[in-house]
Amino acid sequence: MPRKIDTVAGRAALTAVADAVAAEAKPGRTELATAVRYLLQLLAEKAPGHAVEVRVPPFGAVQVIEGPRHTRGTPPNVVETDALTWIALATGTEKWADAAASGRILASGVRADLTAVLPLRP
């Protein structure tokens, strides 16, 4: 089981990423990875389950949402996005519909809409 990211470290990483984005600079890889993993961790806590796989390559993936358990191969319900889009969705600075319409979310399956569980409260 991956090590849990504590709230202080997660929030610090989110702040560092937000500051870099605001300054139109590239966020540090370590801060970006920590922020993504922290938010994935919060999502797994908020919506436990195994019906939807949320992927934010190359930083992490979690299975969430109650429903049929996925055990092998490609899951039937997958959400994949980049790190900055995931952070924006999870923190509420961007809406799911807007990111999906712009093509920055790849979602497949009938359960692959996270509107009901986003934003998170980091």
Side-chain angles (χ1 to χ4, degrees):
M1 175 183 271
R3 188 178 77 226
K4 186 173 180 176
I5 298 168
D6 69 53
T7 303
V8 173
R11 287 180 178 170
L14 286 170
T15 299
V17 170
D19 290 348
V21 169
E24 297 182 6
K26 185 176 179 182
R29 184 171 173 81
T30 300
E31 291 82 6
L32 192 59
T34 300
V36 165
R37 291 175 184 141
Y38 175 65
L39 292 169
L40 287 171
Q41 173 183 298
L42 292 181
L43 177 63
E45 291 170 2
K46 182 176 182 178
H50 298 281
V52 179
E53 186 165 291
V54 179
R55 301 174 181 167
V56 185
F59 301 116
V62 293
Q63 290 187 357
V64 296
I65 312 291
E66 290 184 18
R69 183 178 182 91
H70 163 72
T71 57
R72 269 191 235 200
T74 301
N77 300 288
V78 176
V79 173
E80 187 168 321
T81 190
D82 64 274
L84 291 177
T85 300
W86 167 243
I87 292 169
L89 291 167
T91 59
T93 59
E94 184 164 15
K95 294 186 187 257
W96 179 270
D98 296 337
S102 69
R104 290 180 290 122
I105 297 173
L106 300 175
S108 63
V110 295
R111 297 174 187 260
D113 182 339
L114 302 179
T115 304
V117 295
L118 293 177
L120 303 169
R121 301 290 176 227

